[in-house]
């Protein structure tokens, strides 16, 4: 199951024709085995949206292939409440790790409908691949808010402030952190 997901993500990133400098670390990680957790945990409040985001996932093209590989894995992951002290995000945002190595972190997250994920930064570079919903706004420090289609890739440079705001539907994102301190601390700006 994870091999199918790994291949679909690799195909999607190759089709995006990203610069080699961004993808060089991916090759080693894609050569390693990815395993599902022994004890999945879907108790995070955002897990009540698993079926909703699965229904919103595309079915055509390379993003459809990637979504078809990701959706069956979602209930088999360990979902984390990232900010248990945050009054909004503790109930409306969560993430799960798909693969972790010293130089790469691949995961997915869900943000509930009509929710602001505040501007934040982290040391790692990050690629975001929205898997659902074109109504989510992705803001970057440049001041622009992008509304992208499922499968389009958004790049956040190291320490670049970025944020999200969902529209009428929740969003499922796949993300890749690489470079300096993947999975390291996040700070709100």
């Amino acid at each position: 199951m994870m091999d199918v997901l790994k291949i679909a993500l690799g195909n999607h990133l190759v089709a995006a024709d990203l610069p080699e400098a961004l993808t060089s670390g991916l090759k080693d990680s894609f050569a390693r085995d990815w395993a599902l957790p022994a004890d999945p945990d879907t108790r995070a409040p955002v897990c009540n949206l698993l079926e909703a985001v699965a229904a919103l996932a595309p079915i055509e093209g390379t993003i459809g292939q990637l979504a078809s590989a990701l959706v069956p894995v979602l209930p088999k992951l360990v979902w984390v409440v990232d900010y248990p002290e945050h009054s909004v995000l503790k109930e409306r945002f969560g993430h799960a790790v798909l693969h972790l190595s010293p130089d790469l972190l691949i995961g997915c997250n869900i943000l509930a409908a009509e929710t602001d994920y505040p501007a934040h930064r982290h040391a790692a570079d990050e690629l975001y691949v929205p898997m659902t919903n074109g109504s989510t706004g992705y803001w970057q420090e440049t001041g622009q808010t992008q509304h992208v289609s499922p499968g389009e890739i958004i790049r956040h440079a190291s320490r670049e402030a970025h944020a999200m705001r969902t529209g009428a539907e929740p969003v499922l994102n796949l993300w890749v952190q690489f470079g300096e301190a993947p999975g390291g601390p996040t700070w709100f700006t």
Side-chain angles (χ1 to χ4, degrees):
M1 185 176 283
M2 292 300 278
D3 284 342
V4 172
L5 176 58
K6 181 171 56 170
I7 291 167
L9 177 58
N11 288 342
H12 188 74
L13 294 175
V14 167
D17 198 30
L18 297 168
E20 179 66 25
L22 293 177
T23 59
S24 60
L26 295 175
K27 292 176 184 165
D28 289 338
S29 289
F30 278 70
R32 298 180 190 133
D33 285 334
W34 294 11
L36 284 170
D39 297 311
D41 185 351
T42 56
R43 291 176 290 171
V46 75
C47 291
N48 65 9
L49 298 172
L50 290 174
E51 287 184 27
V53 295
L56 294 169
I59 56 173
E60 297 182 1
T62 60
I63 190 59
Q65 293 169 356
L66 181 52
S68 295
L70 178 60
V71 165
V73 171
L74 296 176
K76 298 176 182 346
L77 299 173
V78 175
W79 287 87
V80 176
V81 175
D82 294 70
Y83 309 105
E85 304 303 318
H86 192 282
S87 61
V88 174
L89 294 181
K90 69 180 179 184
E91 299 288 328
R92 305 184 63 79
F93 178 80
H95 88 272
V97 171
L98 295 165
H99 175 74
L100 174 63
S101 68
D103 54 352
L104 187 74
L105 174 62
I106 300 173
C108 54
N109 63 40
I110 296 174
L111 184 64
E114 304 293 341
T115 304
D116 285 308
Y117 187 107
H120 63 285
R121 301 171 190 269
H122 37 73
D125 287 89
E126 185 173 57
L127 301 177
Y128 249 65
V129 183
M131 299 299 297
T132 58
N133 172 333
S135 70
T136 298
Y138 295 87
W139 175 85
Q140 291 182 273
E141 195 166 38
T142 59
Q144 285 184 265
T145 298
Q146 302 177 56
H147 293 273
V148 300
S149 299
E152 289 187 53
I153 295 175
I154 301 164
R155 178 169 183 240
H156 305 132
S158 173
R159 294 178 175 76
E160 177 184 25
H162 54 284
M164 289 184 288
R165 169 141 180 77
T166 50
E169 297 172 325
V171 67
L172 169 66
N173 294 293
L174 190 60
W175 46 265
V176 179
Q177 286 189 353
F178 57 98
E180 184 184 342
T186 295
W187 56 96
F188 292 108
T189 61

